[in-house]
Amino acid sequence: MGTIDELLANNEAFAATAATGHLDVRPSRQLAIVTCMDCRLDIFGALGLQGGEAHVLRNAGGVVSDDMIRSLAVSQRRLGTRAVMLIHHTGCGMQSLTDDGFRAELQEATGVAPAFAIESFTDVEADVRQSLLRVRRSEFLPHRDQVRGFIYDVESHRLREIHVD
Ligand SMILES: [Zn+2]
């Protein structure tokens, strides 16, 4: 049985026992979290969140890309969120590649250079600051007074806040 088949079986078991009922499409904590796709980050578990409470937006690196701003704009303007929590982490895969190197790899493999930015980084603190500034400067977002950034330590599971001077 393949992995996805196993997950379908898991879903059958989950659906048989999970509470049924209606959750509002609008996050009850009025919160959106932007974070990395890293498989070690259990965002709901680490923050004590339940379903229905927050949007969790993920990509490689937790990068505040144009598409992340798109999701945040929908989250704030249509679904009532006000606070934004950015969570980067130690040992990120995006620290193990370079923009030029990965771009060249993609071009060499396919003959086509990607139109998107790779957005690798070496200094995770600097990348959190960069991400904070991108959110705070985006006029597409009506709520920018509660934007905070953190680094999650994948060994200790603790969050450390990063401030923009
Ligand atoms: Zn990562």
Side-chain angles (χ1 to χ4, degrees):
M1 192 161 64
T3 294
I4 293 174
D5 290 318
E6 286 179 31
L7 300 190
L8 291 174
N10 291 347
N11 173 251
E12 284 296 325
F14 173 78
T17 58
T20 54
H22 178 74
L23 286 176
D24 195 330
V25 67
R26 298 160 67 90
S28 62
R29 289 186 186 265
Q30 299 185 310
L31 169 69
I33 298 167
V34 176
T35 192
C36 184
M37 67 185 186
D38 193 286
C39 64
R40 297 165 294 183
L41 270 61
D42 172 6
I43 294 298
F44 281 80
L47 301 177
L49 284 170
Q50 305 293 324
E53 293 189 339
H55 284 147
V56 180
L57 315 174
R58 306 183 75 154
N59 65 20
V63 172
V64 181
S65 58
D66 283 350
D67 190 63
M68 201 60 95
I69 294 292
R70 177 186 73 88
S71 293
L72 287 171
V74 173
S75 179
Q76 292 197 350
R77 291 178 180 273
R78 288 291 180 275
L79 296 166
T81 66
R82 301 186 66 92
V84 181
M85 189 174 186
L86 307 177
I87 303 178
H88 287 41
H89 67 97
T90 58
C92 187
M94 294 305 287
Q95 292 170 289
S96 68
L97 47 85
T98 64
D99 282 31
D100 287 349
F102 195 61
R103 178 174 298 281
E105 182 179 327
L106 293 177
Q107 186 163 15
E108 198 173 302
T110 66
V112 182
F116 48 82
I118 307 299
E119 304 253 28
S120 65
F121 56 88
T122 51
D123 181 339
V124 64
E125 285 189 30
D127 205 62
V128 172
R129 290 194 190 92
Q130 170 76 219
S131 301
L132 282 166
L133 290 174
R134 283 191 191 175
V135 172
R136 288 180 184 167
R137 290 179 183 176
S138 176
E139 294 182 354
F140 295 122
L141 307 178
H143 307 296
R144 288 173 280 161
D145 56 329
Q146 298 176 68
V147 184
R148 294 170 65 180
F150 301 85
I151 297 172
Y152 181 90
D153 185 316
V154 296
E155 307 291 335
S156 72
H157 309 290
R158 293 187 189 283
L159 288 166
R160 178 165 65 91
E161 185 156 16
I162 302 298
H163 299 277
V164 175
D165 300 325

